Amino acid sequence: MIEYILGHINYWFIIAVMMVGLYTLISRANLIKKLAGLAIFQTAVILFYVSLGKVTGGTVPIVDEAYTLYSNPLPQVLMLTAIVVGVATTALGFALVIRIKEAYNTIEEDAIFTLDQKDHE
Amino acid sequence: MIPLTYWLMAAMLTPLLGALVISRLDKLPDYREAVTLVTASILFSINVYLFNHLDAASSAQFTIAEPIEGLAISFVLNQFGLMFALIASGLWIATSIYAIGYMRAHHEKNQTRFFTLFAVAIAGVMAVAFSENLFTLFIFYEFLTVSTYPLVTHAGTREAKRGGRKYILILMGTSILFFLPAMIWVYYLADTLTFTSGGILAGHADPKWVLPLLLMFILGISKAGVMPFHKWLPAAMVAPTPVSALLHAVAVVKAGVFSLVKVVVFIFGTDFITESGANKILLWFPIITIVLASLIALSKDNLKERLAYSTISQLSYIVLGALLATQQAVIGAGMHIAMHAFGKIALFFAAGAILVTMHKKLVSDLNGMGRAMPLTFTVFTIGTLSIIGIPLFGGMWSKWYLLSGALGFEQNAVLYWTVLGALTLSTLLNVYYLLSIPVRAFFFTNPSYTVIKEAPKACLIGMAIPTFVTLYLFFDPSIFYGLSLSLTGS
Amino acid sequence: MNEQLTILLVVVPLMIAPITALFKSHTISWILTAIVSFTSLILSFIILFDVIDGSHVIYELGGWRPPWGIEYKIDSLNAFIALIVSAIACLSTIFAWQSVPKEINENNYGLFYAALQLCLLGLLGIALTGDIFNLFVFLEISSLSSYALISMGRSRKALTAAFSYLILGTIGATFFLIGVGFLYAASGSLNIADIATRFSTFADMQLVMTGFIFILLGLGLKAAIFPMHSWLPNAYGHAPSVVSIFLSATATKVSIYVLIRVLFDLYPVAYWQALLLPQILLVLGCVGVIYGSFRAWQQVELKRLLAFSSVAQIGYIIIGISLLNNDGITASVMHLFNHALIKATLFMGAGIILYRTNTTKLSELRGFGGSMPWTFAAIVLAGLSLIGVPGTVGFVTKWYLLSGAIAQGKWIVVVAILAGSVLAIAYVWKIVEAMYFNSKRKMVIQNVKSGDINLAKAPISLSLALWIGAAGCLYFGLYTELPYQSAQSIATALLSSEVAQ
């Protein structure tokens, strides 16, 4: 049991990070904090992929006659793309928050909700 | 010599073309109404031509499209359909003449829209009549619902809106809820939906399925007004009188019973129904409707509503005839489509004439009015007598065949006597709630009605046509008898 | 030679979008967008006719052999989805000509059209690619551009709608990514076909199932499958007209396409049948139909009403998939097409109403039917298609869906479908009543600045696009060869791929 937990220690950490991200995302009413939570959540996934690629005892994947065991480079390459996507999402999110601030003069979700209700009436 | 197929196409395209022209003549009301009349006359002539060439009927067939593999939208010239087409197009002429007088005297708004959509609805009726299969019939059944909606809500008042909502929800709702799945089920069993003499289900379906399937059709074809889905018809009475007259005494409701008779005869086949015994249970629907609707009619003081409930009751005669599934009864059902149409439209015309001239809607206001409007009430009396089924009027024949059909139905003593009892009771109630109206008008005195003040001339001419036809049909019902005979397969 | 065409579908918008972003002029950016969307339409047509007989077109990106390189493997399903997307893009482009200048800030024309092209690119990419990570990238391209597009709506609610869509959409995409990661960990491959062929070798690993669930959740969010639909009504309700038209007809459809791919070509059917997934989906579909229709009926604002009806229509598609027979899948695939057409037409109608009256509140639309009878007629026609009145596209789908359900003896499903249709009558008629009555009164135009010259102009491009859509609803309801044959060929392929495994 202990071995199972220790053997997957990286995954447990990743799950912890992911939960922190999701929790922030759900529990905070401040839109900036929400975006921060989203970014943490995405980072956890990136960590997950990177640790997938690690092969025990493997080295950096550079072709050299002295080594035969490499870590898998593909997940890291994939994550380059995912990071780009993540950055774009966060940037777009911030842009939206700025516009929301201009339009509503607040970035608290509850306040926005109340304002929308007022509009509706 | 133009092939018969083109004549058949023309029967559907003429009213559509007419509608197109009428819709462009908003500024020229005289021409607009002339076009309506001309279109109606051409359509009637086309149907008469088709009638004269019935011997080559099966060659007149064409398909528009095939949306679902094996199911085409196609039309064929057939006797029973032609009967319906003849009635509808013939009465369209009468209604058009009548409508000209009515709509002008009543200062209705949006008359162009009225005449346009009327023609469109008639095109729908022609398509229903000449459907080659159940699928096509279903399409134009729905088409008819949608195209008559603006006519029902013509007044645009809150009441019209409410009536229209009920109209569309009940008619379209039941057809999707019951008619559509029943149709798919039939297709699933028989792999075809073509109307075939003797039915298509025999040999493909277990007789025990007849009961639920036929029940779904009876509930789904709510245009036939079988209870409990009859409420749309009284709701539709907010429409102008010509609409109530042609559409809700003839075209739409008859499209309902027409579809039901088609389903019973050409989808199930009368033999198959008799074999399954399902009609023993299902007969209760029309029986209850006949009696209940007559009783409700009795309680209605609004003239058009009373006529509407009388229509519901009469429609169930036809359903009853179809479900009895004996030769005589089915012929009776077919003939009653015709006979009731002429009688009832005369009644509606008279009711409209009263509304236009005297602005009265309630039966209790009619006392003594016969002095002022003798012609109108004569028409009303003749229509009433025909519907009751008294000799000298066409309505007698269909009742005759319905009754003799019931006499041949001796499987079940209880049911047999119930059917006879219901027919007798409803005839008595007919006498009471319909005949009482002209009696009040003629034999009561009312000082305010002394001078003769009849409806506009156009209305009177329109009313005269169905009245004379009713009289004529007593002496010579052979046309409709001959056309109904096709229902028995001979 | 046609292999090269497939990549062009993605490359053309990719090249032109940045150029479009440089321009401020509406005319130039519109022309560029028109070039992109019509080119895509022609290309998708050519490809579809190549593969409709069941063959494949294969293109290897950069010449790398799969499973190492990214591969585009086009069968009829890919091509069909690409056709839907690009056809709707064309309609939206026509509509945009007069609608965008009115609804979008004049400094943003170039950016708006660039985002629209990027969104098109993303959706086409999803439809074409055979590599699951590449699919994720395209999913994010289309999503990111659609967040931006939605936020350009006129009211400030568009901003919050876009923001919550961004949050939920990103969660969905990230879930999908996690699922792909698990699958990669188990299989060592990202090529859909490659994973599918070797599936049995790693089917027992716990990872596979975890990955599967993550992928499903992610796609469910993106496709707005009940109960994960909460972002949809706000997003489509507040977006600019062109965006509502384009996204409502394509975005969720493409996500459903991915779902179909995952269920039939990535995971073997037997695998997820054992997880009781068909039953779960069936229940979700039925509840979605009833719930969506009911909520639509409650709405008082036209675009939100249409958006909730989309939730219901997605339910029909899910039902068809989970029936797992030929008729059901045919119905689902056809409904992808049919619903795209119907919803695009209805949103175009809403767009015209917005253009003329500056409002889409049902209570403020009185007299519209009388003042604009042709537009009103087109809306009614599309509304009837939504109900499923025979002779229209909606009916054809419903027919196959009901046949599929009856063949399986699933009576509750039949009842749910029919009940949904009856509710559809109620909500469509709510629209009709709102516009039809009081036609004596001229329609009321709301919130107009004085001297606004747009009011006097007849919106030709809007009416043209609307009537193309409405005519399509009727035409494809009567002459169903194109969608039917495609759907048939797709259903056969999907079901046979299951037998092969």
Side-chain angles (χ1 to χ4, degrees):
Chain A
M1 184 67 196
I2 294 288
E3 247 171 61
Y4 178 78
I5 292 173
L6 287 181
H8 294 79
I9 189 82
N10 50 339
Y11 293 105
W12 296 116
F13 276 118
I14 290 164
I15 290 173
V17 175
M18 190 179 280
M19 288 307 129
V20 168
L22 262 184
Y23 178 75
T24 318
L25 183 62
I26 295 164
S27 63
R28 301 293 135 169
N30 185 304
L31 298 185
I32 297 280
K33 288 183 181 163
K34 268 185 185 300
L35 279 179
L38 193 68
I40 295 172
F41 179 51
Q42 284 181 311
T43 313
V45 178
I46 293 170
L47 285 175
F48 166 64
Y49 264 81
V50 172
S51 63
L52 271 185
K54 171 68 184 168
V55 176
T56 319
T59 63
V60 188
I62 298 171
V63 181
D64 187 294
E65 286 167 5
Y67 304 100
T68 49
L69 193 62
Y70 305 112
S71 283
N72 185 351
L74 188 64
Q76 306 192 17
V77 177
L78 297 179
M79 280 314 104
L80 282 180
T81 322
I83 289 169
V84 174
V85 170
V87 170
T89 313
T90 319
L92 185 66
F94 282 141
L96 281 175
V97 173
I98 292 172
R99 293 275 310 278
I100 289 174
K101 169 80 177 162
E102 285 167 4
Y104 288 87
N105 211 17
T106 174
I107 53 168
E108 292 294 323
E109 205 174 32
D110 326 350
I112 294 172
F113 184 73
T114 341
L115 284 172
D116 273 348
Q117 286 305 98
K118 263 186 206 154
D119 278 3
H120 198 66
E121 281 157 15
Chain B
M1 184 67 200
I2 307 164
L4 215 49
T5 309
Y6 290 105
W7 286 92
L8 190 62
M9 278 185 204
M12 276 161 266
L13 288 179
T14 309
L16 277 185
L17 273 178
L20 201 66
V21 178
I22 294 164
S23 68
R24 299 292 99 203
L25 293 174
D26 192 26
K27 299 278 179 311
L28 303 163
D30 295 333
Y31 289 96
R32 178 186 69 203
E33 275 135 42
V35 171
T36 305
L37 266 180
V38 170
T39 314
S41 314
I42 295 178
L43 180 62
F44 185 63
S45 320
I46 292 174
N47 283 327
V48 171
Y49 180 88
L50 288 174
F51 178 71
N52 288 331
H53 292 75
L54 259 181
D55 43 342
S58 57
S59 67
Q61 181 170 13
F62 68 95
T63 301
I64 312 180
E66 197 175 324
I68 291 165
E69 240 177 0
L71 282 179
I73 301 178
S74 57
F75 304 95
V76 67
L77 179 57
N78 61 85
Q79 300 191 21
F80 188 46
L82 186 64
M83 177 173 100
F84 185 34
L86 272 173
I87 299 168
S89 59
L91 286 177
W92 188 26
I93 303 180
T95 313
S96 303
I97 303 173
Y98 178 84
I100 294 167
Y102 178 90
M103 297 299 273
R104 288 189 177 184
H106 211 229
H107 305 293
E108 290 275 1
K109 298 252 166 39
N110 296 322
Q111 293 193 22
T112 307
R113 187 179 76 192
F114 173 85
F115 283 108
T116 309
L117 285 168
F118 215 115
V120 172
I122 294 289
V125 172
M126 293 300 128
V128 167
F130 293 124
S131 297
E132 192 256 354
N133 53 44
L134 189 58
F135 176 66
T136 314
L137 190 144
F138 181 68
I139 291 180
F140 290 97
Y141 178 93
E142 298 285 27
F143 176 84
L144 204 54
T145 311
V146 177
S147 64
T148 48
Y149 171 80
L151 291 171
V152 171
T153 56
H154 189 82
T157 56
R158 186 180 288 266
E159 193 194 358
K161 191 168 162 183
R162 214 172 319 123
R165 195 181 296 161
K166 213 181 251 181
Y167 186 77
I168 207 90
L169 255 179
I170 295 182
L171 286 184
M172 203 183 266
T174 52
S175 73
I176 288 182
L177 218 49
F178 302 109
F179 193 173
L180 176 63
M183 184 168 74
I184 296 180
W185 197 0
V186 168
Y187 185 63
Y188 181 71
L189 292 172
D191 219 26
T192 174
L193 287 176
T194 308
F195 293 124
T196 316
S197 188
I200 55 173
L201 274 177
H204 292 286
D206 197 314
K208 73 178 179 200
W209 290 116
V210 171
L211 179 65
L213 254 180
L214 193 54
L215 177 65
M216 280 167 90
F217 277 114
I218 292 177
L219 295 177
I221 305 178
S222 55
K223 281 200 172 84
V226 176
M227 285 180 182
F229 295 119
H230 64 284
K231 284 269 185 190
W232 64 270
L233 189 58
M237 288 301 139
V238 295
T241 307
V243 175
S244 306
L246 183 59
L247 296 182
H248 301 122
V250 183
V252 174
V253 289
K254 293 292 149 57
V257 284
F258 175 81
S259 310
L260 209 53
V261 172
K262 275 257 182 185
V263 167
V264 166
V265 176
F266 297 116
I267 296 291
F268 287 89
T270 45
D271 294 339
F272 189 49
I273 289 183
T274 314
E275 183 202 335
S276 74
N279 50 352
K280 281 180 211 155
I281 298 165
L282 293 173
L283 271 174
W284 288 100
F285 279 90
I287 291 174
I288 291 172
T289 309
I290 289 174
V291 176
L292 270 186
S294 302
L295 288 173
I296 297 174
L298 207 58
S299 71
K300 293 286 174 190
D301 194 30
N302 183 310
L303 181 53
K304 272 174 82 180
E305 274 187 35
R306 187 179 282 198
L307 292 182
Y309 275 100
S310 151
T311 305
I312 293 172
S313 151
Q314 296 288 322
L315 289 173
S316 276
Y317 277 64
I318 300 166
V319 179
L320 181 78
L323 288 181
L324 284 171
T326 58
Q327 288 215 352
Q328 300 281 315
V330 173
I331 293 176
M335 285 177 76
H336 201 60
I337 290 183
M339 300 306 177
H340 173 248
F342 292 103
K344 191 47 71 61
I345 203 168
L347 292 184
F348 269 107
F349 282 167
I354 296 165
L355 179 67
V356 160
T357 339
M358 300 294 185
H359 308 289
K360 297 282 188 239
K361 283 183 178 172
L362 301 182
V363 175
S364 45
D365 291 338
L366 301 181
N367 293 354
M369 207 185 268
R371 306 280 156 86
M373 303 182 76
L375 286 176
T376 306
F377 278 96
T378 312
V379 167
F380 198 99
T381 316
I382 293 176
T384 304
L385 294 176
S386 175
I387 284 186
I388 295 170
I390 286 174
L392 279 184
F393 306 98
M396 188 209 109
W397 289 114
S398 54
K399 284 221 171 156
W400 174 273
Y401 282 106
L402 278 173
L403 277 173
S404 47
L407 292 176
F409 187 75
E410 286 155 5
Q411 305 160 322
N412 186 326
V414 180
L415 213 54
Y416 171 66
W417 285 107
T418 319
V419 170
L420 285 192
L423 289 179
T424 322
L425 179 63
S426 103
T427 307
L428 288 176
L429 286 169
N430 263 331
V431 173
Y432 191 68
Y433 69 78
L434 279 182
L435 205 57
S436 65
I437 297 169
V439 167
R440 275 159 174 266
F442 280 122
F443 297 106
F444 284 36
T445 48
N446 188 332
S448 50
Y449 301 125
T450 45
V451 188
I452 287 190
K453 186 184 169 199
E454 273 291 356
K457 268 206 197 75
C459 288
L460 291 178
I461 299 174
M463 281 154 72
I465 297 174
T467 316
F468 283 119
V469 174
T470 309
L471 288 169
Y472 172 76
L473 282 177
F474 173 73
F475 299 102
D476 184 17
S478 62
I479 300 175
F480 294 124
Y481 178 77
L483 290 172
S484 302
L485 212 55
S486 68
L487 290 173
T488 62
S490 48
Chain C
M1 164 237 133
N2 280 342
E3 298 94 66
Q4 312 295 335
L5 292 183
T6 59
I7 194 68
L8 273 182
L9 269 178
V10 179
V11 169
V12 170
L14 193 60
M15 304 284 271
I16 297 190
I19 302 175
T20 314
L22 295 177
F23 290 100
K24 279 206 160 174
S25 147
H26 179 256
T27 321
I28 298 178
S29 18
W30 184 82
I31 291 176
L32 288 172
T33 312
I35 293 174
V36 170
S37 46
F38 281 93
T39 318
S40 319
L41 182 64
I42 296 167
L43 291 178
S44 348
F45 249 117
I46 298 175
I47 296 171
L48 180 61
F49 281 113
D50 266 3
V51 295
I52 201 166
D53 53 0
S55 59
H56 300 276
V57 174
I58 293 173
Y59 181 82
E60 292 156 7
L61 258 72
W64 294 92
R65 296 283 308 281
W68 296 280
I70 295 171
E71 172 199 37
Y72 285 7
K73 186 176 174 193
I74 318 294
D75 62 12
S76 35
L77 180 55
N78 298 105
F80 190 59
I81 299 294
L83 179 72
I84 296 175
V85 172
S86 43
I88 298 296
C90 288
L91 272 183
S92 322
T93 311
I94 301 175
F95 194 86
W97 173 242
Q98 274 163 307
S99 153
V100 167
K102 174 146 174 157
E103 290 186 33
I104 306 294
N105 185 320
E106 59 182 357
N107 294 318
N108 293 341
Y109 291 153
L111 293 172
F112 176 83
Y113 280 113
L116 197 64
Q117 290 173 24
L118 283 178
C119 192
L120 172 66
L121 148 81
L123 297 173
L124 284 174
I126 299 172
L128 297 179
T129 187
D131 181 284
I132 197 153
F133 190 81
N134 193 230
L135 195 149
F136 162 76
V137 175
F138 280 124
L139 196 65
E140 280 301 73
I141 293 180
S142 68
S143 304
L144 282 171
S145 41
S146 58
Y147 309 144
L149 287 170
I150 289 168
S151 71
M152 292 194 210
R154 299 205 298 184
S155 84
R156 61 182 183 180
K157 282 185 196 159
L159 295 171
T160 44
F163 189 82
S164 57
Y165 182 24
L166 179 133
I167 299 281
L168 285 173
T170 309
I171 293 178
T174 312
F175 272 13
F176 183 75
L177 190 60
I178 298 172
V180 170
F182 277 117
L183 196 59
Y184 177 70
S187 69
S189 174
L190 290 168
N191 184 297
I192 294 178
D194 186 43
I195 297 175
T197 43
R198 298 194 292 108
F199 192 84
S200 52
T201 56
F202 51 80
D204 298 333
M205 295 167 84
Q206 182 64 32
L207 284 179
V208 178
M209 185 170 326
T210 320
F212 183 58
I213 291 166
F214 271 112
I215 291 180
L216 277 189
L217 284 177
L219 288 176
L221 256 171
K222 283 277 178 192
I225 295 169
F226 177 87
M228 292 175 275
H229 63 276
S230 60
W231 57 270
L232 186 141
N234 278 327
Y236 292 177
H238 298 299
S241 303
V242 176
V243 178
S244 303
I245 296 164
F246 184 61
L247 290 183
S248 69
T250 55
T252 49
K253 306 291 175 307
V254 169
S255 303
I256 289 173
Y257 151 77
V258 182
L259 185 70
I260 295 177
R261 255 307 169 234
V262 168
L263 290 182
F264 288 91
D265 284 349
L266 191 56
Y267 286 83
V269 173
Y271 182 79
W272 49 278
Q273 258 182 325
L275 298 175
L276 292 184
L277 195 66
Q279 284 82 345
I280 296 172
L281 282 179
L282 207 57
V283 171
L284 288 184
C286 291
V287 179
V289 164
I290 305 281
Y291 171 85
S293 309
F294 183 72
R295 287 301 303 272
W297 178 62
Q298 288 181 319
Q299 298 308 308
V300 292
E301 201 269 333
L302 179 58
K303 281 172 89 174
R304 273 179 74 82
L305 187 156
L306 295 178
F308 269 109
S309 126
S310 282
V311 174
Q313 302 290 323
I314 291 164
Y316 286 125
I317 301 178
I318 298 299
I319 292 176
I321 296 173
S322 47
L323 282 175
L324 276 180
N325 58 12
N326 202 342
D327 274 349
I329 292 171
T330 306
S332 285
V333 176
M334 278 180 92
H335 206 52
L336 290 177
F337 177 85
N338 292 346
H339 178 245
L341 197 60
I342 299 171
K343 227 3 106 50
T345 310
L346 282 169
F347 268 111
M348 282 192 273
I352 294 186
I353 293 170
L354 191 67
Y355 183 94
R356 289 299 303 275
T357 64
N358 286 320
T359 178
T360 49
K361 274 205 186 115
L362 289 175
S363 55
E364 293 170 350
L365 296 182
R366 269 176 299 182
F368 186 84
S371 301
M372 300 192 75
W374 287 102
T375 306
F376 176 61
I379 294 174
V380 172
L381 194 61
L384 291 176
S385 312
L386 204 56
I387 299 173
V389 169
T392 60
V393 282
F395 175 74
V396 183
T397 321
K398 226 153 255 182
W399 177 279
Y400 285 114
L401 204 54
L402 286 171
S403 317
I406 289 177
Q408 294 256 357
K410 297 212 157 75
W411 297 106
I412 296 179
V413 179
V414 174
V415 172
I417 296 171
L418 296 172
S421 310
V422 173
L423 282 169
I425 304 177
Y427 67 71
V428 167
W429 231 256
K430 206 171 164 177
I431 307 175
V432 173
E433 275 182 2
M435 296 185 206
Y436 177 69
F437 284 97
N438 282 15
S439 50
K440 273 163 268 178
R441 203 166 123 192
K442 285 278 173 229
M443 65 184 180
V444 185
I445 293 169
Q446 318 268 347
N447 317 318
V448 190
K449 291 179 210 128
S450 62
D452 192 338
I453 52 159
N454 275 328
L455 291 175
K457 284 187 202 155
I460 304 163
S461 80
L462 307 190
S463 308
L464 179 70
L466 177 73
W467 270 99
I468 294 177
C473 286
L474 205 59
Y475 179 83
F476 289 111
L478 294 175
Y479 304 95
T480 50
E481 285 84 0
L482 174 73
Y484 180 70
Q485 280 177 9
S486 317
Q488 264 293 277
S489 132
I490 292 162
T492 320
L494 290 179
L495 289 171
S496 69
S497 70
E498 169 222 343
V499 175
Q501 285 162 17

